[in-house]
Amino acid sequence: MHILSKAMLLLAFSGTFFTASATDLPSGDRYKVNIDLTKVQDDKVPVTIKVPEIKEKEIIYNLPKIVPGTYSIYDFGKFLNEFKAYDKKGRELETERLDLNRWKIEDAKKLDKITYWVNDTWDTPNKEDIVFEPGGTNIEAGENFLINTHGFVGYFDKMKQVPYELTITKPERFYGATPLVASSSTATSDTYVIPSYMELVDSPLMYNKPDTTVLKIGNADVLVSVYAPSGKVTSKTVAKELEKVLNAQKNYLGGSLPVEKYAFLIYVAEKPNRTGAYGALEHSYSSVYYFPDMPEQMMADQVRNIAAHEFFHVVTPLSIHSEEIGNFDYMNPKMSQHLWLYEGVTEYFATHVQVNQKLIDKEEYLDKLKEYLAGANAFNDSLPFTEMSKGALDKHKKEYGNVYQKGALIGLALDIRLRELSDGKYGVLNLMKDLSKEYGKNKAFKDEELFDKIAQLTYPEIRDFFRKYVEGTQPLPLTEMFKKVGVNYATNGTEPRQTLGRFTIGFDPKSRRLIVADTENMNAFGKKMGFKKDDQLISINGEDMSPETAAEVLEKNVKYAPEGSRITVVVNRKNAAGKMQEVKLKGRLMKTLEKTENQLSLDPMATPKQKKLRDAWLYGGL
């Protein structure tokens, strides 16, 4: 899981997916689960489970300690109350709570059903119990129910592979947004049949009055469901932005997608949350988003940017995953050493697709690569990536964020190396396709065998690449790598730049205006203009400085305006009485010398060979 501040994003993955009807499943016993959303009491809902046949004298019921992709211990059993077990005559059986997540049931051969109440995670009063919202549960009677199934339903020991029949009893006019296909549905209930606990955990649902849009992307139906009580964000606007990047990803993957249905479940909050962060939790065929309220276009941009990463999880780990992921241990998980693949290559694809499909130009793409280079500097570059990956849950937890920084750079370096060895004909995208054919969603690879398999599928030299830069401690050969594709790379330098003042910009949800959030690092021009902390930015040279127009207004009136030209910035500022008052700040644009790091630029002296490899890297396909 990638939990970050409200200026950043979260993304993750989990499990597999199933869309078949009940008739497609093998006959036999199954868990019959009912979650009743019409009987909410104190933000709790009742859960009743008719159990499959139990042959043991005693049995243990488990709720997950951790779920795939979160990389945090959450102990979802903490949110379960009043656990009871009954035989077929309604007599209560003896139970014992073993720890936070496990209940032992005596005389289990007689067991007919279990019942309990589930409290939501979003409203927990205890700081130590806080769960990042997209991975948690929400219970708002008559308003919204976010059902991450791992927070509501568990499994018996040695019975994770038994099918589940999940029935949601819902308020009238409520719609269940989910990647699942209902086997039956009425005005007051939906029933889904899922073949195992792994698929159940991978299948979130969001129930509320519907605001949905369905997109047709190649062969796939993509559901966009939005819950925004303010009404300022709609599924239609979000879907319009998503459509652009999803069509680009479809083309990038060869014209079709490896899924038939995908769901975006988006919750827009009206009040501050407990974690102080926002983002999404990724599943194989869906993703759950949590955002603070913001202007509709800004929201659409945020979702589009995250989706560029998350949608690529339909490739990995859906079609390519290790045994540690395919048969996840919810109590004592074993971490895979291949986060460079699951998150790193996925993040690399998320930006590479944009230049490959010409949504952005080469220079804009290099700017995105600079962000990875800067981000990776915050982590331990001498720690082998495989070792970090294996210890991401505990020993190396603080290094986990590097999977989205150096992990993406590993994908980049591997892509260039593969293109070089194949004379431009074969890259990482081709490798992912070949690995998908070799394994697929129903066949996991052995963690320790993947590097040898990749070398077998590609080139012997690639095994040495992994030995040095992923398993080993050698830093990526960035200068050499970029030189091969005619890109100049400079780690440090200075450059004269024209900016509004280099202060930190924030967003005030109350006024819905951009603000001066911090002036600590403000440059000479900003000080000369007189910006102050908490100023609300209203306009520049008469042009409205809204969150939606800010980028365009700044480029026109500051970044690309002639040096020395006049500028007038209108701000709202508190006066001595504490009331907001309009203030005009005037000056002439001036360049200031800014420190630069990790500068990338196209080499004007690049050779034909370098240009050929560059084009193959940037624009090559399957």
Side-chain angles (χ1 to χ4, degrees), residues 45 53 122 211 291 477 489 549 569 607:
V45 297
E53 181 183 1
W122 285 13
D211 174 14
F291 287 106
Y489 172 53
T549 63
V569 181
T607 66

Side-chain angles (χ1 to χ4, degrees), residues 27 47 77 82 105 114 131 243 256 289 296 322 358 373 427 446 453 508-509 579 596 600:
S27 60
V47 176
E82 301 179 47
I105 302 169
I114 58 176
V131 177
E243 190 169 20
S256 63
Y289 296 72
E296 187 172 40
S322 68
K358 300 187 178 178
L373 292 163
K446 290 185 181 297
K453 174 58 69 174
D508 176 26
K579 293 185 178 180
T596 59
L600 297 173

Side-chain angles (χ1 to χ4, degrees), residues 397-453:
K397 188 173 184 177
K398 291 183 179 179
E399 297 292 322
Y400 170 72
N402 210 12
V403 300
Y404 304 102
Q405 311 301 331
K406 186 177 179 180
L409 295 175
I410 290 172
L412 164 67
L414 180 60
D415 200 10
I416 291 176
R417 183 64 173 134
L418 285 170
R419 292 288 179 186
E420 179 187 26
L421 290 168
S422 65
D423 194 29
K425 297 181 177 64
Y426 189 99
V428 168
L429 194 58
N430 306 84
L431 172 60
M432 294 302 107
K433 184 176 182 180
D434 287 345
L435 286 173
S436 296
K437 290 178 181 177
E438 185 76 19
Y439 297 105
K441 65 180 181 179
N442 297 318
K443 180 183 177 183
F445 60 78
K446 290 185 181 297
D447 229 36
E448 64 277 9
E449 295 178 359
L450 182 62
F451 291 139
D452 290 331
K453 174 58 69 174

